[in-house]
Amino acid sequence: MSTLFRKVWESVSSTRTSTSRSSANSNNNQYEQMMMMLYIQTASTGEFDRIPFDIIIQILKILGPKESAKMTAVCKSWKFIVSDNRLWIYFLQNQHEPWDSTFFAETHLRSGPLRTFPNSVPDLSFMSIYGQRAQVPGAIIIDGGSGYCKFGWSKYSAPSGRSATFLEFGNIESPMYSRLRHFFSTIYTRMQVKTSTQPIIVSIPICHYDDTESDKAAREQLKDSIHSALFDMNVPAVCAVNQAVLALFSARKVSGIVVNIGFHQTSIVPILHGKVMHQVGVEVVGIGALKLTGFLKEQMQQKNIFFGSLYTVRALKENLCYVALDYEAELSKDTNASFQIASEGSFTLSEERFKTGEILFQPRIAGMYVHVALFWEL
C-alpha cells in the first residue's frame, strides 16, 4: 500500500508541476479545493483524512471501477468520494466507446431527443451511468435499407453480416408480421444469440414519407409490427428509429437535414429535435447506388471496356470514382486511373470516374430529369 501511495503522490506532484501555468487547470484546482473542503466538512474517513482529495481520486483510478464501487459500502464518506463524477468520467473515457458519443447520448438522448438542455450540463450521476452501461455491454443493431440490410453488434465499428432487407424478406405476399418474425429469427440465428438476452436497435428505412393520413398510418403499422414481432420473441428491449434520425445522432446532432444516398434512392430528410418533419417535406429521388453502378456500366460499354459482372463494375465504382468539386474544370484534366480486379485483370477509367457521381447533382447527364423542392417555413 505504501508503494501505491508513493507512486500516486509522484504522479500527482509531477502533473501539478507541468500544468501549473495553465489557466484551465487553475480552475480545475479551485474546483478540487472546493470539493476537498466539502469532503472534509461532510464526514470522516479516519486515517485517510490526511490524504488530499485528488490523491484519493488517483488511487481509485488505479483500483478501477469494480473495486472503487465496492468502497461505497464502507461508509457515507467513501460513498461521497467514490460518487465523484470526474472519477467515473475517467472510467467511461477508457471504454471502447468514444467519450464524446457517450456524453452526447447521456445529455441529449437519455430523456428523449425532444428534451433540450441549456448550455449548462444537466445533473448526471456518471457512476450510475457506468453501472447501467456495464449491465448491458452491447445491443444488436439491424440497419434496414432499400436494397439490403446490415446487422451486427453496437460494440463494433462495422457490421458483421448482411441480408435482404426486411421490406422484401421472405414471401412478400405474407402478412408483414409473419415476414418480420421470420426475418428477425434469421438474424438472431446467424448471430448465434438468444432473443431473450440482448436488446435490439432497428433502423427503419425511409418509406411512406409523405404527410398524408395513409402514409402516417403505414409508418405506425410498420413500427407496431416491428415491436410486436420482437416482443413476441421475448426480446428484452426494442428501439425502432428512423434511419435518417440515427444517422444524425451518429454525428452527435439532434436537428439538421440528412441527405441519405441509399441503394435504390436518395432522400432529403429535415429533422428537428430528433423528429422527422414530414409536414415540412421529405423528398425522395429515385437515384441511388444501383443507378450509379448502372450508369458506370453504360459508360464502360460505350468505350468497349468489357467486364464479367456488375460486381466488377461496383468494385471499380467504389475504388476509382469520386465527386469533383468543379465538374466543368475536371473535364479538362487528365483523370486516368487503374484498378486491378483479381479475376479479370486491370481496368483503366478516365472521365467516367467523376461523371458517375455527378448524376446525383446533374441527373440529366444520365438522361434523367428530376425535380426536387424542399421548403422551410421561416
Side-chain angles (χ1 to χ4, degrees), residues 186-240:
T186 302
I187 297 297
Y188 273 96
T189 300
R190 289 185 183 179
M191 296 187 69
Q192 299 180 341
V193 178
K194 293 182 179 179
T195 58
S196 59
T197 59
Q198 296 293 334
I200 187 170
I201 299 172
V202 180
S203 166
I204 303 176
I206 300 167
C207 55
H208 310 298
Y209 42 82
D210 288 334
D211 195 38
T212 62
E213 292 300 323
S214 60
D215 274 20
K216 287 180 182 178
R219 289 194 297 269
E220 286 300 319
Q221 183 182 15
L222 176 58
K223 188 174 287 189
D224 289 345
S225 297
I226 291 172
H227 283 100
S228 297
L230 288 169
F231 283 131
D232 287 349
M233 294 166 61
N234 297 319
V235 175
V238 178
C239 178

Side-chain angles (χ1 to χ4, degrees), residues 56-64 68 71 81-82 87 91:
I56 292 180
I57 292 295
Q58 292 294 329
I59 294 171
L60 291 172
K61 287 179 180 179
I62 293 173
L63 289 175
S68 297
M71 300 298 292
I81 295 170
V82 174
L87 174 64
F91 290 144

